[in-house]
Amino acid sequence: MKADTPMIVGIGQSEYTKWNDPAHDSELGLACTAIMAAAADAGIDVTHIDGITSFGEDANEPPLIQAALGIEELRMSAMLWSGGGGGSCGAVDLAAMAVKSGQAHYVVAMRSLAQGHAGRFGQYDPNWRHASFIHPFGLFAAPQLLALAVRRHMHEYGTTAEQMGAFAIACRTHAQRNPAAIMRSRPMDMASYLASRMIADPFRLFDCCLETNGACAVIVTSWERARDLPGVAVPILSSVHGSSDGWSSGPLGSFNMPLESFASVGAAQLSEALYGKAGLSPSDIDVAQIYDNFTGVAMMAMEDFGLCERGGSGPFCASGAIAWPNGEIPVNTHGGNLSEAYAHGLNHVVEGVRQMRGTSTCQVENAALCLVTGGPGPAPTSALILGRA
Amino acid sequence: MPVCARCQSDSIAWVEASDDPEIYSYTIIHQANHEALADVTPYNAAIVIFPATQSVRLVSNIIDCAPDDLAIGMQLSLVWEEVRPDFIVPRFRPSRDART
Ligand SMILES: [Zn+2]
């Protein structure tokens, strides 16, 4: 490991509840809870955090957080563009850049969501970027938009409902061991997956992620500073965010991405950059946390990031390859957005850190490299490779 | 200012699309997320391409077609539908001389 490798030294999360739970805290309150938990995990005083990053148009602006937590000096703050979960790993990428450049010493990447307060996703929004071209036809919610890409994948590669069900069941099964997971105590078999109601064909209810109140936070610092902290530091071996040629906002409205990559998440270039920066290849990866807004979309992301071949994610999932503990690459060992919580994918980074510390509730034995990917669909999207602590 | 993404020229003009619309992908929406759609749910939305006119896609609805009959590659005909006098949208129906 190089001496300029940025390190994740603290992870934190709030309690996760359903989006319409009347008892939930405010978004700012949830954010502060997660950040304080991450600081405690890192063994630093929360007031010494000097950088804040986020994504997904998070409404909890750094000055509010600074005031709420008594942060002494804010040296850096940045938001990764794009409205969806595309920036989950990108917020960590920004934090890593800030630490590497010396702009700030302890940067927290955070995301807080309380849709009961701030508005539920998936509703009609006249300000959506491609509204005039899609709203007159009744197309405006994420499952409807992304169903169009996945339907095409089914057509080109023969992907089936049962194969998407295998992805959903793997996430749900992993969540049974995770005390924080919303879907704990609700195991699912193929019959109940197939019986779930259709939302936007081919997506059934259980192809869709949860809607959650909750927050996550991840603290990044330099390799040198990490050495002086009591906690277990996890190296960020590679971090990238970006958007492929012609991809743009692709399946979230423009649909103008190249037809050759239409049935993908458009992350082929990003994947190459991710592995290239670390001098690694997909076959080196031991465990993966793949942003799962919808089953079939996450499966296309697995293809883009090389966990299986192009078009092969259906048979790969159905073979048991993504299921802990015996699968060749267990995926979403916390339960993912489908079954742990919809913390906009920052919970995938938190779980990646747990895997590299050896503390996951579905711990992959001897796991040395973890791939984490950001939301596919909205560009830019992003990804990380974490190394063993 | 709209420009060409290949050569950055701002010299643009309307051109007539080829008359070969077909379904590139589609979804059948079973949950109405807006009250205006409650009466028509389930309904479909499709991406329509014009193979001889490169890089042009339209999102639209396929009318006069049972959900089970929708298929990728289905040949279509354009229908201008008047939703309101000031609101006319392009929709499509299966082509009569079904070339699929
Ligand atoms: Zn040009």
Side-chain angles (χ1 to χ4, degrees), chain A residues 323-334:
Chain A
W324 183 88
N326 297 319
E328 139 195 356
I329 304 174
V331 168
N332 294 357
T333 45
H334 53 330

Side-chain angles (χ1 to χ4, degrees), chain B residues 62-81:
Chain B
I62 313 302
I63 60 170
D64 300 337
C65 185
D68 285 348
D69 292 340
L70 287 167
I72 287 174
M74 175 184 266
Q75 308 287 303
L76 305 167
S77 303
L78 173 66
V79 184
W80 289 102
E81 282 210 329

Side-chain angles (χ1 to χ4, degrees), chain B residues 4-9:
Chain B
C4 170
R6 294 220 180 100
C7 70
Q8 288 69 48
S9 166

